[in-house]
């Protein structure tokens, strides 16, 4: 057997034969609560036996006589599939004359000379073993009384012009005049009649006393086989097959019996019972013959198990009475007859469990207006709770009229409207408590396309445009998508789509197709399609209009009214041109000028082959009609309106809907109903007659007439039932009365208060409540609930201020000793509470006030938990105590561990006293990150954990109060700024130094001295005493008596005066000699030169 499975595997790798495992198998599943059984499985080994060796003598027959070639395949498991072939492995041709029977034999209704062959071979194919066995072939010889004339053979004269004796029909299978057949229910019935005769007989089938079941019957094998699928008891009876040719006919009756293996009428299901509860376990089955019912308990016959006083076997039912805990078991029901058996397991569980909701909490359901809606509320409890639905926490339970509550808790709203929006509460109540769940229902407008794309024909190169204007609920986001020929449309650079249209510029042949606009919201969708046909320019020429694609039909013409009657009239019209697309249907619309003049409404549709119909009309309406033709392309334009037709009046046919009675005050009852629709009035002066009387008093009816859809009955007693009914009438008479409906007068304040409110089993968050109920007559209305008011008086934690806001909780219970559980209390607190009884409108006086002190619990999470970096080497944690300590805090637990992606380090735990709300942790390195888990704890234990993770190193958002002067990046920035300033100063000195060496620009505006000499080229050579002096602070000069700068070109010359040619270029070389003494004499000035400073830096 497979591990962790109940599947049994049988293998033969280690030896053994399959035949050794043949037999009956059954699976038993066992645990502490009982034993379950599977159906019995019969294991058989498929076999493909060989055909017995035999020598077949040639078969000799006379032409025109019948023949049967027997197959007799070897028995196999399952039986083989047989077929006839020749030596060339070609199937033997079969027809009305030659065919294979259900038993595999080959039947010849009459033999022809052409049937003479030496290789008629029957083959048997065994499906499971995938093998084919072949029988030794038959040799068929056909004797003729005259020579066969090949040249004169044809289909109408298969005997070649020779005379062959004809014969009346006889049956080859089955034999005799009658036979019988037994078939099991739900299986397939096969009846066969094969006849001999010349000419070949025709087979017909009948059923005596009735018709053949047309939907289930099928004829095969050239009408020789009648097949009925899924046989039922009604298919039993006498079936007659008749074979006839022009010489006569013959009949054979087959009497069909339909038997049945057992089948379920009531299959047993699991049963859940509460202690001291009663319940039946039913196992009903039928069959033919009637099946025998046997009960087992945990796999053993019930007769052999210990007697249980809480269990009584009554044939196909076991009755359980006053069951006790510990009597849970698995019961098996076995229904069997000679044709089969059924087995079912049912777990009978005895348990005690308060109501609980099984579905998700506080669901939001969005539905489309006017759709049927289901609100699910799966629940469980033992004993089985009563379930009721409420809307917006008000009113009585929802059931009846617009609502229907199913046994599984589902609420059906038959037609959701805008006023059905709200919060629906399902309440499951039993003696063990109450559970509830809420569903929020939102009713949305439908999403629909109000301007759909229309068929377009566009010339190649032009622009095509499709509209798709959508109207939807404003609160639902929608998406609009286009498809072409049911495939997503790729827009590319050419196609343009906006919210309401699709534009196709420069149309080409590839754009032709059907375009569909689909608009979707989260709960519904709508779509519309139109076809684009691409035309060549020549296609617009009327001479080739026959090449145009189909288009919408022209509107119908010449509408005529005839055969007037009180509520009908005949409308006749002439169809317009269908434009190469046949009309499939006509839509008839009407407009009336009394209630909604100018508004056309759909009346009915009719097939496209009609042009004259009788319209069924409402009384007292002045109609006019128009017709729209519809073909595959779309709707035509409407026709011109018909003449008006006024129907005569009549009494109302409709009954006012929505009749109900309810009290708006304690001494009245408002009777309301929905007014008739305009077309339901049937005449002028519509009024309503309303009747009412107090229920069960035998009084006469009170009534009145009104034109409104409401009547108020005054001076009623408080909350008493009334029978009410309503009827519409007009000038022509009274319509039908409604059914009698029970309504109630108004409610008043309950007079009694629940007594003896007490508390038991108080823990940190829950308390069990008990009280003595009120007399239901004192509620003075529909009992809705016992409503508990409770508030938190104080906390036992010193100095903690609490809110004393009152809260409520309802308990629906009408048992003699009601109780309930109040949950969601705050631990370690003092509560006060009282109880009132409530109807739909009022609350009664309060009960006694009780005080409850809840036990200490675990605290909430800390109020906040922050992580800061004071430096790069430490993390500083800060937190505040919980808003709700739920007891006396005795400390905090801080657990932390390193994190690196999905890997975490070893956790470390710190326990801190309650007055400490900060912690500093030194980092092993700056890139290390930690995850922290902080919780407060009381004597009860640790509370909710507040988890935080330290930030990334690059994220400095958590760094507060950092000494910026000690940071490396700041020191580097300051050094860079100082270096830039120094470089700028040096550049300024260089520019100033160059200005002293070449003072031409500085002195070009001065008056020339007489000693100034002019060069031949008109340039001047400036000389002055100042020029012969070196500038203060500078060592560079054009005078050779002064020490040249280190970068002077003199170092590279060989002496001589420097000379320039006319274009100003050098024609000589520097020849100034360097005088060591002069150089040494100027050392003092070089030491202060900024130029030297530059070189010294270099």
């Amino acid at each position: 057997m497979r591990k962790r499975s109940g599947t049994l595997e049988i293998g033969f790798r280690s030896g053994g034969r399959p035949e050794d495992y043949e037999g009956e198998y059954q699976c038993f599943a066992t645990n502490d609560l009982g034993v379950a059984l599977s159906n019995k499985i019969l294991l058989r080994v498929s076999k493909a036996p060989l055909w017995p060796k035999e020598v077949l003598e040639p078969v000799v027959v006379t032409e025109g006589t019948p023949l049967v070639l027997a197959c007799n395949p070897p028995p196999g498991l399952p039986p083989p599939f047989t077929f006839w072939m020749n030596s060339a492995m070609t199937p033997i041709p079969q027809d009305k004359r030659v065919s294979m029977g259900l038993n595999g034999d080959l039947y010849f209704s009459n033999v022809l000379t052409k049937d003479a062959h030496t290789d008629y071979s029957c083959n048997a194919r065994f499906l499971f073993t995938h093998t084919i066995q072949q029988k030794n072939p038959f040799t068929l010889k056909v004797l003729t009384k005259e020579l066969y004339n090949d040249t004169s053979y044809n289909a109408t004269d298969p005997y070649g012009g020779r005379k062959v004796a004809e014969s009346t029909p006889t049956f080859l299978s089955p034999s005799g005049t009658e036979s019988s057949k037994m078939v099991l229910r739900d299986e397939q019935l096969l009846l066969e009649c094969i006849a001999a005769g010349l000419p070949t007989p025709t087979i017909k089938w009948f059923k005596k006393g009735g018709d053949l079941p047309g939907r289930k019957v099928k004829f095969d094998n050239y009408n020789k086989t009648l097949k009925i699928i899924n046989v039922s008891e009604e298919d039993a009876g006498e079936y007659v097959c008749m074979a006839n040719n022009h010489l006569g006919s013959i009949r054979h009756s087959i009497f069909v019996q339909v038997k049945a293996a057992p089948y379920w009428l009531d299959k047993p299901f699991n049963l859940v019972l509460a202690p001291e509860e009663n319940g039946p376990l039913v196992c009903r089955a039928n069959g033919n013959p009637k099946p025998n019912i046997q009960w087992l308990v945990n796999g053993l016959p019930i007769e052999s198990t210990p007697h249980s006083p809480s269990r009584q076997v009554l044939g196909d039912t076991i009755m359980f009475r006053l069951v006790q805990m510990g009597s849970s078991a698995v019961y098996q029901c076995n229904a069997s007859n000679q044709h089969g058996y059924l087995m079912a397991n049912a777990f009978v569980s005895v348990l005690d469990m308060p109501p609980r909701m099984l579905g998700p909490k506080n669901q939001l359901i969005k539905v489309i207006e006017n759709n049927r809606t289901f609100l699910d509320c799966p629940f469980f409890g033992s004993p089985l709770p009563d379930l009721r639905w409420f809307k917006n926490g008000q009113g009585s339970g929802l059931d009846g009229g617009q609502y229907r509550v199913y046994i599984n808790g589902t609420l059906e709203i038959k037609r959701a409207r805008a006023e059905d929006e709200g919060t629906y509460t399902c309440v499951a109540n039993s003696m063990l408590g109450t559970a509830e769940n809420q569903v929020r229902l939102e009713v949305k407008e439908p999403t629909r396309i109000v301007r759909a794309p229309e068929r377009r024909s566009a010339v190649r190169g032009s622009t095509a445009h499709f509209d798709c204007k959508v109207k939807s609920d404003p609160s639902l986001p929608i998406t609009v998508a286009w498809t072409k020929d049911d495939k997503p449309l790729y827009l590319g650079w050419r196609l343009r789509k906006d919210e309401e249209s699709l534009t196709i510029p420069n149309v080409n042949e590839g754009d032709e197709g059907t375009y569909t606009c689909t608009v979707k919201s989260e709960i519904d969708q709508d779509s519309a399609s139109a076809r684009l046909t691409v035309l060549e320019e020549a296609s617009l020429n009327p001479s080739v209009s026959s090449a145009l694609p189909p288009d919408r039909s022209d509107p119908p013409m010449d509408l005529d009214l005839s055969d007037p009657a009180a509520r009908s009239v005949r409308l006749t019209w002439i169809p317009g041109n269908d434009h190469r697309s046949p009309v499939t249907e006509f839509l008839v619309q009407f407009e009336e000028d009394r209630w909604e003049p100018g508004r056309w409404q759909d009346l009915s549709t009719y097939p496209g082959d009609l042009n004259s119909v009788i319209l069924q009309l409402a009384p007292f309406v002045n109609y006019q009609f128009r017709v729209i033709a519809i073909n595959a392309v779309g709707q035509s334009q409407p026709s011109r309106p018909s003449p008006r037709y006024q129907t005569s009046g009549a009494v109302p046919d409709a009954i006012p809907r929505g009749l109900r009675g309810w009290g708006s005050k304690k001494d009245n009852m408002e009777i309301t109903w929905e007014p008739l629709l305009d077309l339901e009035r049937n005449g002028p002066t519509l009024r309503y007659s309303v009747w009412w009387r107090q229920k069960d008093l035998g009084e006469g009816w009170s009534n009145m007439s009104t034109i409104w859809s409401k009547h108020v009955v005054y001076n009623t007693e408080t909350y008493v039932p009334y029978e009410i009914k309503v009827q519409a009438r007009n000038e022509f008479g009274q319509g039908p009365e409604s059914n009698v409906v029970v309504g109630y007068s108004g409610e008043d304040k309950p007079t009694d208060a629940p007594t003896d409110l007490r508390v038991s089993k108080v823990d940190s968050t829950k308390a069990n409540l008990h009280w003595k109920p009120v007399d239901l007559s004192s509620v003075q209305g529909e009992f809705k609930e016992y409503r508990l008011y409770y508030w938190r008086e104080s906390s036992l934690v010193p100095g903690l201020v609490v809110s004393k806001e009152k809260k409520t909780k309802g308990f629906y219970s009408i048992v003699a000793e009601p109780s309930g559980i109040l949950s969601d209390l705050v631990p370690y607190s003092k509560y006060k509470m009282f109880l009132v009884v409530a109807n739909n409108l009022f609350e009664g006086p309060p009960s006694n006030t009780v005080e409850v002190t809840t036990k200490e619990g675990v605290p909430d999470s800390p109020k906040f938990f922050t992580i800061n970096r004071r430096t790069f080497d430490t993390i500083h944690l800060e937190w505040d105590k919980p808003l709700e300590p739920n007891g006396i805090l005795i400390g905090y637990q801080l657990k932390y561990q390193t994190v690196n992606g999905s890997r975490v380090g070893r956790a470390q735990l710190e326990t801190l006293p309650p007055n400490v709300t900060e912690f500093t942790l030194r980092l092993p390195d700056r890139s290390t990150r930690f995850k922290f888990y902080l919780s407060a704890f009381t004597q009860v234990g640790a509370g909710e954990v507040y988890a935080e993770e330290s930030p990334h190193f690059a994220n400095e958002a958590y760094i507060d109060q950092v000494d910026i002067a000690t940071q490396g990046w700041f020191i580097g920035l300051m050094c860079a700024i100082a270096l830039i300033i120094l470089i700028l100063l040096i550049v300024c000195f260089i520019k100033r130094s160059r200005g002293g060496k070449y003072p031409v620009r500085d002195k070009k505006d001065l008056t020339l001295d007489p000693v100034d000499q002019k060069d031949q080229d008109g340039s001047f050579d400036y000389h002055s005493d100042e020029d012969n002096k070196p500038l203060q602070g500078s060592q560079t000069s054009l005078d050779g008596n002064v020490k040249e700068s280190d970068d002077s070109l003199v170092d590279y010359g060989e002496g001589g005066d420097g000379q320039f040619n006319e274009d100003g270029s050098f024609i000589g070389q520097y020849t100034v000699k360097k005088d060591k003494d002069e150089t040494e004499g100027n050392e003092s000035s070089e030491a202060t030169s900024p130029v030297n400073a530059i070189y010294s830096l270099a």
Side-chain angles (χ1 to χ4, degrees):
M1 191 165 66
R2 289 182 185 174
K3 293 182 178 180
R4 301 183 182 89
S5 168
T7 301
L8 179 65
E9 290 184 344
I10 301 176
F12 305 102
R13 294 179 179 177
S14 58
R17 299 182 311 147
E19 290 81 359
D20 298 336
Y21 295 93
E22 287 189 327
E24 197 173 64
Y25 292 79
Q26 190 171 25
C27 175
F28 290 72
T30 305
N31 66 9
D32 295 338
L33 298 178
V35 179
L37 308 181
S38 72
N39 287 331
K40 293 181 179 178
I41 301 172
L42 180 62
L43 178 63
R44 301 285 300 276
V45 178
S46 178
K47 299 177 181 179
L50 297 176
W51 224 297
K53 297 292 185 179
E54 56 182 339
V55 178
L56 299 177
E57 297 293 334
V59 178
V60 181
V61 295
T62 303
E63 184 180 21
T65 59
L67 172 65
V68 179
L69 297 181
C71 180
N72 298 324
L77 189 66
F81 171 76
T82 57
F83 55 97
W84 287 81
M85 303 185 76
N86 58 24
S87 58
M89 299 305 290
T90 302
I92 301 296
Q94 300 188 28
D95 54 20
K96 179 181 176 181
R97 181 180 64 88
V98 181
S99 62
M100 186 181 73
L102 296 176
N103 61 356
D105 295 346
L106 188 64
Y107 291 86
F108 294 79
S109 294
N110 50 78
V111 176
L112 301 180
T113 305
K114 67 172 186 173
D115 295 329
H117 293 289
T118 61
D119 53 358
Y120 285 93
S121 178
C122 182
N123 298 265
R125 179 158 62 95
F126 297 89
L127 301 179
F128 271 74
T129 59
H130 303 288
T131 58
I132 296 178
Q133 301 288 342
Q134 188 177 60
K135 185 175 183 175
N136 288 339
F138 285 97
T139 298
L140 176 60
K141 296 181 178 180
V142 181
L143 303 178
T144 61
K145 295 181 180 178
E146 300 180 22
L147 292 177
Y148 183 68
N149 184 1
D150 289 331
T151 60
S152 61
Y153 174 81
N154 58 65
T156 58
D157 183 15
Y159 307 104
R162 294 170 291 104
K163 293 182 179 180
V164 178
E166 296 182 338
S167 59
T168 58
T170 58
F171 281 113
L172 297 176
S173 175
S175 58
T177 59
E178 62 181 43
S179 59
S180 62
K181 177 81 171 181
M182 191 274 289
V183 64
L184 291 181
R185 182 177 184 268
D186 293 330
E187 291 188 354
Q188 181 175 271
L189 172 64
L190 294 174
L191 302 180
E192 182 180 61
C193 279
I194 301 178
L198 186 65
T200 303
T202 299
I203 305 294
K204 295 183 179 179
W205 292 88
F206 309 94
K207 182 181 181 183
K208 280 194 174 181
D211 296 329
L212 293 172
R215 293 185 177 182
K216 300 194 298 181
V217 72
K218 183 179 179 182
F219 299 101
D220 288 338
N221 198 16
Y222 308 97
N223 236 39
K224 300 174 187 178
T225 303
L226 170 69
K227 179 191 295 183
I228 299 178
I229 60 175
N230 295 329
V231 171
S232 60
E233 287 78 356
E234 295 80 10
D235 297 323
E238 181 181 355
Y239 291 79
V240 178
C241 64
M242 182 178 71
N244 70 294
N245 59 17
H246 70 272
L247 296 181
S249 63
I250 188 173
R251 296 171 180 258
H252 182 93
S253 295
I254 305 175
F255 295 90
V256 174
Q257 285 184 307
V258 178
K259 301 290 185 179
Y263 57 92
W264 291 119
L265 297 177
D266 286 307
K267 184 178 179 180
F269 292 99
N270 295 340
L271 181 63
V272 178
L273 297 174
E276 305 296 325
E277 200 173 26
N278 305 331
L281 184 62
V282 179
C283 174
R284 293 194 179 98
N286 198 7
N288 188 4
K290 186 75 174 177
N292 177 53
I293 303 294
Q294 180 188 13
W295 288 99
L296 299 92
V297 181
N298 293 330
L300 300 175
I302 196 169
E303 300 83 7
S304 63
T305 60
H307 174 72
S308 173
S310 63
R311 182 180 68 205
Q312 183 181 7
V313 179
L314 302 173
D316 57 10
T317 303
I318 298 180
M319 284 300 303
F320 295 93
R321 294 185 176 89
L322 302 176
V323 295
Q324 302 298 318
M325 295 292 292
S327 57
S328 300
V330 181
Y331 288 76
Q332 288 84 31
C333 173
N334 186 324
S336 60
N337 64 13
Q338 64 198 61
H339 302 297
Y341 86 102
L342 295 172
M343 169 74 77
N345 294 277
F347 178 43
V348 178
S349 176
V350 180
L351 55 87
D352 202 359
M353 180 177 290
R356 58 182 296 188
M357 292 297 168
L358 304 180
K361 295 285 187 181
N362 302 320
Q363 274 189 302
L364 173 61
I365 304 295
K366 299 179 182 179
V367 298
I368 296 300
E369 191 174 14
N370 295 325
N371 281 5
R372 191 164 67 158
T373 302
F374 294 93
L375 305 183
D376 294 328
C377 181
F379 67 100
F380 181 75
S382 181
L384 183 66
D386 296 323
L387 187 118
R388 302 176 71 190
W389 281 89
F390 302 90
K391 181 184 177 185
N392 295 331
Q394 300 176 359
S396 58
L398 302 177
D399 200 2
Q402 166 87 335
Y403 304 101
R404 178 184 177 187
V405 179
Y406 292 87
I407 191 172
N408 66 349
T410 297
L411 174 67
E412 175 189 353
I413 303 176
K414 296 178 181 177
R415 187 177 180 184
R417 297 167 297 184
E419 53 265 32
D420 293 321
E421 275 198 350
T423 300
Y424 290 78
T425 304
C426 59
V427 180
N429 180 76
S430 75
M431 60 185 299
L432 298 180
T434 301
E436 66 178 45
N437 197 2
Q438 290 186 341
V439 179
R440 171 70 184 171
L441 178 66
E442 293 184 359
V443 181
K444 307 295 185 181
E445 295 180 14
T447 302
R448 59 185 184 274
I449 298 174
V450 295
R451 188 167 68 236
E454 297 183 352
R455 193 181 192 286
R456 292 281 185 266
S457 296
V459 177
R460 186 160 56 106
S462 64
T463 298
H465 183 84
F466 289 111
D467 289 326
C468 185
K469 186 174 182 180
V470 178
K471 183 178 181 182
S472 64
D473 193 286
S475 65
L476 291 179
I478 60 171
T479 58
V480 178
W482 287 86
T483 58
K484 177 175 179 276
D485 298 329
D486 298 326
K487 296 180 180 178
L489 179 64
Y490 174 68
L491 297 177
W493 60 270
R494 186 167 59 93
L495 277 62
R496 299 193 301 272
K497 183 187 83 167
D498 58 28
E499 293 182 355
E500 296 186 354
S501 65
L502 173 70
T503 303
I504 308 175
N506 194 22
V507 170
N508 57 54
E509 291 81 356
D511 295 324
E512 185 166 286
T514 299
Y515 290 80
T516 301
C517 170
T518 301
V519 54
K520 291 183 180 181
S521 71
E522 61 183 279
I523 54 179
D524 71 335
Q525 69 177 46
D526 193 14
S527 62
S529 300
R531 182 166 182 82
L532 173 63
T533 304
V534 181
L535 307 175
E536 298 290 340
E537 279 196 58
S539 298
L540 300 179
N541 192 324
S543 63
V544 291
S545 62
S546 60
L548 288 174
D551 203 350
R552 300 172 188 270
S553 299
D554 288 342
M557 303 174 291
D558 299 338
L559 271 64
D560 181 63
L561 299 176
S562 60
D563 302 340
R567 298 198 180 190
S568 66
V569 69
R570 178 178 290 278
L571 175 64
T572 305
W573 63 87
I574 297 176
N577 190 335
D578 63 10
H579 291 293
R580 302 164 298 282
S581 177
V583 175
T584 56
E585 62 180 2
F586 289 100
L587 170 63
V588 177
Q589 296 181 324
F590 74 92
E591 181 265 350
E592 50 83 25
D593 60 0
R594 180 174 287 109
W595 314 114
E596 293 182 277
R599 177 173 175 259
W600 288 94
Q601 305 176 56
D602 293 347
L603 181 62
S604 186
T605 57
Y606 299 94
D609 56 352
L610 297 181
N611 72 322
S612 181
V613 296
I614 294 178
L615 306 179
Q616 301 300 321
L617 308 176
F620 196 63
V621 179
N622 191 19
Y623 286 98
Q624 67 173 346
F625 307 98
R626 70 182 187 185
V627 183
I628 297 174
I630 303 174
N631 61 12
V633 180
Q635 294 186 353
S636 72
Q637 292 295 320
S639 68
R640 292 181 177 273
S642 71
R644 287 201 176 270
Y645 178 70
Q646 171 77 53
T647 55
S648 57
V651 299
D653 301 316
I655 299 173
R657 295 170 288 271
L659 178 63
R660 63 186 290 252
W662 59 282
S664 59
K665 296 182 180 180
K666 66 179 181 180
D667 57 353
N668 77 359
M669 178 179 65
E670 293 189 6
I671 304 174
T672 59
W673 58 91
E674 296 178 13
L676 297 187
L677 301 177
D678 293 333
L679 294 181
E680 296 174 336
R681 292 171 172 260
N682 292 2
T685 320
L686 178 69
R687 300 183 66 85
Y688 300 97
S689 296
V690 58
W691 290 267
W692 68 93
R693 67 180 178 186
Q694 194 167 336
K695 188 180 179 183
D696 301 329
L697 295 185
E699 298 177 348
W701 290 95
S702 300
N703 70 86
M704 63 86 60
S705 179
T706 178
I707 63 173
W708 312 109
S709 58
K710 172 182 175 181
H711 175 67
V712 181
V713 180
Y714 295 99
N715 299 321
T716 64
E717 298 179 25
T718 301
Y719 198 69
V720 293
Y722 281 83
E723 293 178 328
I724 54 178
K725 59 182 179 179
V726 70
Q727 175 192 56
R729 63 188 181 90
N730 57 24
E731 286 187 359
F732 296 95
Q734 299 177 346
E737 294 181 1
S738 70
N739 294 329
V740 175
V741 174
V742 176
Y744 285 86
S745 58
E747 299 179 332
D748 198 359
K749 291 184 178 181
T751 58
D752 294 352
T755 57
D756 194 20
L757 177 63
R758 59 195 185 279
V759 180
S760 66
K761 295 182 181 178
V762 181
D763 59 19
S764 60
T765 59
K766 292 188 298 184
N768 288 13
L769 306 178
H770 308 271
W771 65 90
K772 291 184 180 179
V774 300
D775 187 343
L776 291 182
S777 62
S778 70
V779 177
Q780 299 200 94
E782 180 187 10
F783 171 75
K784 183 177 182 181
E785 64 186 4
Y786 288 102
R787 188 170 298 155
L788 180 73
Y789 283 87
Y790 64 100
W791 63 96
R792 190 180 179 191
E793 184 70 20
S794 63
S795 173
L796 299 182
V797 178
L800 184 62
V801 179
V802 301
S803 170
K804 296 186 179 182
E805 178 187 0
K806 285 186 179 179
K807 298 181 180 180
T808 62
K809 182 171 183 179
F811 301 94
Y812 181 87
S813 178
I814 55 174
V815 298
E817 296 183 0
S819 63
I821 298 176
L822 178 61
S823 56
D824 297 328
L825 300 178
V826 178
Y828 211 52
S829 298
K830 185 178 295 184
Y831 279 87
K832 288 186 178 180
M833 59 193 69
F834 62 82
L835 195 67
V836 297
V837 66
N839 56 34
N840 289 317
L841 298 178
F842 301 103
E843 295 178 352
S847 69
N848 58 300
T849 300
V850 298
E851 189 174 284
V852 177
T853 301
T854 55
K855 298 180 179 180
E856 191 171 9
V858 296
D860 290 352
S861 62
K863 183 178 179 181
F864 67 83
F865 183 26
T866 60
I867 303 174
N868 298 314
R869 272 193 179 167
R870 297 278 174 88
T871 68
F872 283 107
D873 300 326
T874 60
I875 289 181
H876 188 71
L877 314 178
E878 288 183 345
W879 62 89
D880 198 359
K881 62 184 179 181
L883 289 176
E884 290 292 350
N886 296 338
I888 303 299
L889 290 183
I890 60 176
Y892 297 94
Q893 288 181 348
L894 176 65
K895 185 175 75 171
Y896 57 93
Q897 57 191 148
T898 58
V899 292
N900 183 12
S902 59
R903 293 178 296 175
V904 297
R906 185 174 61 87
Q908 301 184 54
L909 180 65
E910 297 282 350
T911 301
L912 306 171
N915 59 341
V916 174
T917 57
E918 59 182 4
F919 181 77
T920 300
L921 176 65
R922 181 167 295 277
L923 299 176
D925 59 75
R926 296 182 179 182
S927 62
T928 303
R929 297 176 59 216
F930 284 89
K931 183 126 186 211
F932 298 93
Y933 306 88
L934 178 66
S935 61
F937 62 94
T938 62
Q939 290 183 351
V940 178
E944 185 179 349
V945 174
Y946 199 140
E948 283 288 348
E949 190 169 318
S950 60
H952 289 278
F953 179 74
N955 182 1
E956 300 297 334
Y958 290 86
I959 299 179
D960 62 350
Q961 300 180 3
V962 175
D963 187 1
I964 194 170
T966 63
Q967 303 304 308
W969 63 269
F970 180 76
I971 297 173
L973 178 62
M974 293 296 100
C975 292
I977 292 173
L979 181 59
I980 291 172
I981 293 173
L982 179 60
I983 292 174
L984 291 175
L985 290 174
I986 294 172
V987 170
C988 291
F989 277 118
I990 293 174
K991 286 189 174 291
R992 180 64 180 170
S993 173
R994 287 182 178 176
K997 186 181 295 185
Y998 303 107
V1000 174
R1001 292 185 179 273
D1002 296 335
K1003 298 183 178 183
K1004 65 182 179 178
D1005 295 331
L1006 299 176
T1007 303
L1008 295 176
D1009 291 334
V1011 292
D1012 292 336
Q1013 298 177 1
K1014 187 175 183 181
D1015 292 339
Q1016 292 178 359
D1017 59 358
S1019 62
F1020 291 91
D1021 185 14
Y1022 293 97
H1023 296 281
S1024 68
D1025 296 336
E1026 295 293 331
D1027 293 333
N1028 294 326
K1029 298 178 182 178
L1031 292 173
Q1032 185 178 359
S1034 175
Q1035 69 175 19
T1036 60
S1037 175
L1038 294 177
D1039 194 336
N1041 296 326
V1042 184
K1043 171 68 176 177
E1044 290 87 5
S1045 64
D1046 292 342
D1047 60 349
S1048 173
L1049 292 177
V1050 176
D1051 294 337
Y1052 302 93
E1054 297 178 357
D1057 297 333
Q1059 297 178 4
F1060 294 85
N1061 64 7
E1062 291 183 354
D1063 61 0
S1065 61
F1066 283 101
I1067 58 174
Q1069 296 176 335
Y1070 287 95
T1071 56
V1072 181
K1073 296 181 179 179
K1074 298 179 181 179
D1075 185 44
K1076 180 178 179 182
D1077 297 332
E1078 291 178 354
T1079 301
E1080 293 175 353
N1082 291 329
E1083 283 179 356
S1084 60
S1085 64
E1086 290 178 359
T1088 61
S1089 171
V1091 178
N1092 285 339
I1094 295 177
Y1095 288 124
S1096 64
L1097 285 174

